[in-house]
């Protein structure tokens, strides 16, 4: 229903954030986003110089590397570039969401056509996305375990944190924001104290010349020490991972004005202290395993950003090359250094990520195959309309809500249902729940309603749209809202029947060409004001035969029921009972499939489907009104 949905695009202005709200959100982001990045000063210098420091110039060189790592990766790459690739994040609502088209002969268009024609490349991109996601999970699992002084304290904090998460990010952020802010101000203040006490000679590290000297003089030692310096930018991926909770501008403000300067002061103060106490590098409260997954996440981000810059932002290829080369120089340098740490504990996040990668890939494969089965086995509207108003069955009082993943066409479970049962409800509504790549969908834009076929068929389609922060399972009034929108649609449809300014009006006679057009397009699509509904201007059918003796359907514009009659009919059907019909497609591997495919589909995917919440729970469907229609699909 893209055409119907697009009619509201300019009806609402883009959501704006006031300055006061931005400051509040920036403050809250401190408690959620910057915990890992803010605690890095506890262990960076220890891991960089585990055996002490021989020359004060080594400390200055390490500080220079830390300064430019923080500047290039978190500040420039993530805060000012990667965060813009936010899929609209929290900055735009549904009505302002759109995809910018590009010229057919542009570099972006050529790249898109090439990617769409390469199945291997598309699979590679999928693997890259899953690898990056799994690495973030692997690193996040280990972070609490390797950052605490006392295990018991860490366990208590974690239990308390997870027990509070059901209250939402807002309350958790308000609790931890003052703690993180106080911590950042303290380490920044201590850094200023050390600089004033031991002198600001280390500030010459802001010159990139000391990076070159550090790498040249220490050679292999400096290369291995990069694994410790890398810890100064761990947690950078959280800037992007937590973007769903905060708008881009709030994250940018918090990092630029608070986190970045406090970290620079903290590291500079530690360097000033170490220059005067060369053998105190081990006197650090925390020790940690080098978090290897972090570098892989950054590499994956860089590779995926190439596609974003070309296909979404339409950047010139020179800018793409510059960004890619600069990012890869920094990240590949760190990656080559942490490879030496894999056998010292860096394997742990990689192993965890590998397990999650298998799980995610199998789930994605099974889900895609289920959707492809529904897509390719859907029933044509001509077949449904050819059955007549009764659909070849006894229409009993009540309303049947048929849930499907298809936003167009008739799902296979419906034909499976009506060919195995002798009766069907008087009113049928195909319900499709779609999660869109936007932060949230306003309530007034939640539902798209459309009539399928003539009025006397009493068949409708309803698409319920949610953003990735809208929790459908908490929508207790889903059924009520659906019917309210259905009744509103009927009223609007009746109002539109008296209009004569639409392309195909009920008040005007229709030609053979218009009837054929409406058959192919399942009715005319119009809209009223800012209400997002599709209006069908037909209400009866007459079967006819074409010269090739193929049954076709043509439409007549006669009307046999008024708005009040249909609303009364719908209300009486609703009072008679509402049944939720869900399809339960079971995916099985063919007997001729290889053993690893059978293990993946018949065991791993089946187990994942079993432990996941059923659709009836997600849709908040009462068990007494639930009807499952099962079918088996072999891949």
């Amino acid at each position: 229903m893209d055409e119907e949905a697009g009619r509201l695009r300019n009806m609402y202005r883009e959501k704006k954030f006031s300055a006061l709200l931005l400051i509040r959100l920036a403050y809250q982001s401190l408690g959620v986003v910057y915990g890992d990045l803010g605690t890095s000063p506890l262990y960076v210098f220890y891991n960089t110089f585990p055996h002490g420091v021989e020359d004060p110039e080594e400390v200055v060189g390490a500080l220079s590397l830390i300064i430019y790592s923080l500047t290039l990766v978190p500040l420039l790459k993530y805060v000012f570039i990667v965060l813009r690739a936010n899929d609209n994040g929290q900055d735009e609502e549904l009505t302002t969401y759109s995809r910018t088209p590009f010229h057919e002969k542009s570099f972006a268009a050529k790249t898109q056509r090439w990617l769409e024609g390469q199945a291997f490349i598309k699979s590679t991109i999928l693997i890259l996305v899953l690898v990056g996601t799994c690495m973030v999970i692997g690193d996040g699992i280990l972070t609490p375990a390797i950052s605490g002084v006392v295990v018991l304290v860490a366990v208590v904090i974690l239990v308390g944190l997870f027990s509070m998460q059901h209250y939402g990010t807002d309350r958790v952020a308000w609790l931890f924001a003052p703690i993180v802010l106080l911590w950042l101000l303290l380490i920044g203040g201590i850094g200023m104290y050390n600089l004033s006490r031991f002198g600001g000679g280390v500030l010459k590290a802001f010159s990139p010349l000391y990076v070159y000297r550090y790498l040249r003089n220490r050679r292999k030692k400096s290369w291995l020490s990069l694994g410790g310096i890398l810890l100064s930018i761990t947690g950078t991926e959280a800037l992007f991972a937590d973007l769903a909770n905060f708008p881009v501008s709030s994250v940018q403000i918090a990092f630029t004005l608070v986190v970045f300067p406090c970290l620079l002061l903290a590291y500079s103060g530690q360097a000033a202290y170490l220059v005067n106490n060369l053998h105190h590098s081990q006197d650090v409260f925390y020790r940690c395993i080098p978090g290897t997954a972090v570098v892989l996440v950054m590499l994956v981000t860089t590779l995926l950003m190439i596609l974003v810059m070309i296909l979404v932002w339409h950047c010139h290829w020179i800018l793409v090359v510059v960004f890619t080369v600069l990012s890869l120089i920094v990240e590949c340098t760190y990656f080559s250094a942490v490879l030496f740490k894999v056998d010292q504990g860096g394997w742990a996040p990689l192993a965890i990520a590998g397990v999650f990668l298998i799980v995610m890939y199998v789930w994605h494969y099974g889900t895609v195959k289920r959707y492809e089965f529904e897509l390719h086995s859907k029933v044509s509207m001509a077949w449904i309309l050819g059955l007549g108003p009764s659909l070849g069955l006894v229409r009993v009082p009540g309303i049947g809500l048929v849930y499907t993943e298809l936003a167009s066409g008739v799902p296979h479970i419906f034909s499976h249902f009506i060919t195995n049962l002798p009766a069907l409800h008087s009113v049928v509504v195909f319900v499709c729940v779609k999660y869109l790549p936007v932060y949230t969908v306003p309530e007034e834009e939640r539902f798209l309603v459309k009539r399928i076929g003539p009025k006397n068929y009493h068949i409708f389609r309803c698409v319920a749209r949610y953003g990735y922060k809208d929790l459908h399972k908490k929508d207790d009034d889903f059924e009520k809202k659906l019917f309210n929108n259905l009744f509103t649609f009927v009223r609007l449809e009746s109002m539109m029947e008296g209009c004569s300014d639409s392309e195909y009006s009920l008040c005007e006679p229709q030609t053979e060409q218009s009837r054929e057009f409406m058959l192919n397009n399942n009715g005319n699509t119009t809209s009223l004001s800012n209400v997002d509904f599709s209006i069908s201007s037909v209400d009866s059918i007459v079967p006819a035969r074409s010269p090739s003796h193929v049954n076709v359907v043509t439409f007549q514009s006669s009307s046999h029921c008024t708005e009040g009659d249909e609303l009364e009919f719908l209300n009486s059907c609703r009072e008679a009972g509402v049944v939720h019909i869900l399809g339960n497609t079971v995916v099985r591997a063919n007997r001729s499939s290889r053993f690893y495919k059978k293990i993946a589909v018949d065991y791993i995917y089946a187990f994942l489907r079993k432990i996941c919440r059923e659709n009836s729970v997600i849709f908040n469907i009462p068990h007494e009104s639930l009807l499952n229609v099962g079918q088996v699909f072999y891949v």
Side-chain angles (χ1 to χ4, degrees):
M1 295 183 175
D2 286 345
E3 182 179 354
E4 290 82 2
R7 297 181 185 275
L8 277 178
R9 179 158 295 151
N10 297 319
M11 295 295 179
Y12 296 88
R13 293 185 300 176
E14 184 177 342
K15 185 178 181 180
K16 300 293 183 182
F17 292 95
S18 65
L20 186 62
L21 178 59
L22 274 179
I23 294 174
R24 194 198 79 177
L25 291 172
Y27 170 74
Q28 285 184 283
S29 70
L30 292 173
V32 177
V33 181
Y34 300 107
D36 196 2
L37 197 61
T39 55
S40 294
L42 292 170
Y43 39 71
V44 169
F45 276 111
Y46 164 75
N47 284 273
T48 304
F49 303 110
H51 304 296
V53 184
E54 299 175 359
D55 186 356
E57 289 297 309
E58 294 179 355
V59 178
V60 177
L63 177 61
S64 186
L65 272 170
I66 292 172
I67 290 172
Y68 283 99
S69 295
L70 284 171
T71 303
L72 292 175
V73 180
L75 183 64
L76 295 182
K77 178 184 174 181
Y78 276 84
V79 172
F80 289 110
I81 298 179
V82 175
L83 290 188
R84 292 181 58 224
N86 54 34
D87 216 354
N88 294 287
Q90 199 178 23
D91 294 338
E92 295 189 31
E93 293 184 349
L94 180 60
T95 43
T96 62
Y97 178 77
S98 63
R99 294 180 176 89
T100 306
F102 38 74
H103 195 271
E104 288 185 359
K105 296 183 180 180
S106 64
F107 180 65
K110 293 178 182 178
T111 304
Q112 183 179 23
R113 287 194 295 268
W114 179 75
L115 289 173
E116 290 175 347
Q118 303 289 330
F120 175 76
I121 298 297
K122 290 192 288 186
S123 299
T124 302
I125 294 174
L126 171 64
I127 294 295
L128 275 177
V129 173
L130 295 181
V131 166
T133 305
C134 295
M135 291 299 173
V136 172
I137 297 174
D139 177 60
I141 289 176
L142 286 183
T143 298
I146 63 181
S147 302
V149 184
V150 182
V151 175
L152 180 60
V153 175
V155 170
V156 171
I157 293 174
L158 287 175
V159 170
L161 177 61
F162 282 107
S163 64
M164 289 180 54
Q165 282 195 332
H166 70 280
Y167 290 109
T169 305
D170 184 71
R171 295 188 180 182
V172 174
W174 277 115
L175 175 64
F176 283 91
I179 299 174
V180 176
L181 178 61
L182 180 62
W183 167 258
L184 291 171
L185 293 177
L186 282 175
I187 63 174
I190 293 172
M192 292 178 64
Y193 167 77
N194 286 328
L195 286 172
S196 64
R197 179 180 178 184
F198 298 104
V202 294
L203 296 180
K204 60 186 179 181
F206 279 87
S207 170
L209 177 64
Y210 289 91
V211 174
Y212 168 73
R213 290 181 179 178
Y214 179 79
L215 296 176
R216 182 193 64 182
N217 296 334
R218 298 193 77 206
R219 297 187 180 180
K220 186 177 180 180
K221 286 185 178 180
S222 66
W223 204 260
L224 294 177
S225 68
L226 291 178
I229 295 176
L230 171 66
L231 296 173
S232 65
I233 55 176
T234 56
T236 301
E237 68 279 358
L239 295 174
F240 190 80
D242 293 322
L243 194 58
N245 298 311
F246 304 97
V248 174
S249 50
S250 66
V251 177
Q252 292 174 332
I253 291 172
F255 184 83
T256 306
L257 300 183
V258 179
V259 180
F260 185 65
C262 287
L263 289 178
L264 290 183
L265 287 172
Y267 287 118
S268 299
Q270 287 187 21
Y273 175 84
L274 278 178
V275 166
N276 291 272
N277 302 273
L278 296 179
H279 299 290
H280 288 187
S281 62
Q282 296 186 30
D283 297 335
V284 185
F285 293 102
Y286 295 93
R287 302 184 179 187
C288 78
I289 301 172
T292 308
V294 175
V295 192
L296 290 176
V297 172
M298 295 178 181
L299 285 171
V300 170
T301 301
T302 298
L303 297 177
L304 294 178
M305 279 299 298
I306 296 175
L307 297 178
V308 173
M309 295 179 74
I310 294 175
L311 300 179
V312 181
W313 296 347
H314 308 159
C315 295
H316 195 279
W317 66 270
I318 295 180
L319 293 177
V320 178
V321 171
V322 171
F323 168 81
T324 305
V325 170
L326 290 178
S327 298
L328 290 181
I329 288 176
V330 176
E331 291 157 8
C332 288
T333 302
Y334 280 124
F335 181 69
S336 62
V338 299
L339 286 178
F340 294 98
K341 302 291 184 179
V342 171
D343 61 340
Q344 301 177 22
W347 59 269
L350 298 180
I352 295 173
V355 174
F356 279 103
L357 177 62
I358 294 173
V359 171
M360 288 185 177
Y361 188 83
V362 170
W363 178 260
H364 176 270
Y365 176 81
T367 304
V368 168
K369 290 300 180 182
R370 286 180 62 246
Y371 181 77
E372 289 178 351
F373 169 73
E374 289 196 28
L375 185 65
H376 296 305
S377 61
K378 66 180 181 180
V379 182
S380 66
M381 281 305 306
W383 181 77
I384 293 293
L385 297 176
L387 295 176
S390 67
L391 299 180
L393 304 169
V394 177
R395 302 293 292 268
V396 298
I399 297 179
L401 301 181
V402 183
Y403 289 83
T404 173
E405 294 184 15
L406 301 178
S408 62
V410 179
H412 181 262
I413 61 166
F414 184 70
S415 63
H416 185 65
F417 178 80
I418 63 177
T419 53
N420 286 275
L421 291 177
L424 185 66
H425 301 90
S426 301
V427 178
V428 176
V429 182
F430 294 110
V431 180
C432 175
V433 177
K434 288 293 183 183
Y435 289 90
L436 306 181
V438 293
Y439 176 76
T440 185
V441 179
E443 284 292 334
E444 61 270 18
E445 302 179 52
R446 176 83 67 212
F447 294 94
L448 299 176
V449 181
K450 182 178 184 179
R451 185 186 295 277
I452 298 180
K455 282 187 177 180
N456 55 354
Y457 276 60
H458 303 296
I459 302 179
F460 303 87
R461 184 187 311 285
C462 178
V463 179
R465 305 181 295 179
Y466 291 83
Y468 45 76
K469 287 297 292 182
D470 295 324
L471 297 179
H472 182 212
K473 66 184 181 65
K474 289 187 177 181
D475 197 351
D476 297 329
D477 297 328
F478 176 78
E479 182 180 308
K480 178 181 178 182
K481 294 175 184 176
L482 187 152
F483 285 122
N484 287 342
N485 281 271
L486 179 61
F487 295 157
T488 303
F489 165 79
V490 172
R491 297 188 188 98
L492 292 172
E493 184 184 44
S494 178
M495 293 170 59
M496 291 300 296
E497 287 180 353
C499 299
S500 59
D501 57 347
S502 60
E503 184 177 357
Y504 294 98
S505 171
L506 285 176
C507 300
E508 299 174 350
Q510 298 177 9
T511 63
E512 184 65 27
Q513 289 81 3
S514 68
R515 287 195 294 268
E516 182 179 357
F517 173 85
M518 295 176 69
L519 171 62
N520 294 333
N521 290 274
N522 195 27
N524 180 41
T525 301
T526 57
S527 65
L528 179 64
S529 183
N530 66 338
V531 183
D532 197 0
F533 293 106
S534 167
I535 310 300
S536 174
S537 58
V538 295
D539 62 349
S540 64
I541 63 167
V542 176
R545 285 195 176 272
S546 65
S548 58
H549 302 289
V550 178
N551 285 330
V552 296
V553 181
T554 57
F555 295 86
Q556 293 179 343
S557 60
S558 58
S559 179
H560 301 292
C561 62
T562 64
E563 168 200 341
D565 294 335
E566 185 164 21
L567 288 177
E568 183 179 354
F569 176 75
L570 291 174
N571 274 313
S572 63
C573 290
R574 184 182 181 185
E575 292 173 358
V578 178
V579 176
H580 301 258
I581 304 171
L582 272 70
N584 185 18
T585 303
V586 179
V587 181
R588 290 284 184 267
N590 286 319
R591 292 184 178 180
S592 58
S593 300
R594 296 185 178 182
F595 76 95
Y596 58 83
K597 186 175 181 179
K598 291 182 178 179
I599 293 175
V601 176
D602 294 344
Y603 295 95
I604 300 179
Y605 182 73
F607 174 74
L608 293 175
R609 286 270 294 171
K610 184 177 181 180
I611 64 175
C612 286
R613 291 175 300 174
E614 296 181 354
N615 287 335
S616 59
V617 177
I618 298 176
F619 297 145
N620 198 33
I621 298 174
H623 289 287
E624 60 272 14
S625 303
L626 176 64
L627 178 61
N628 272 307
V629 180
Q631 52 187 350
V632 181
F633 168 56
Y634 291 94
V635 295

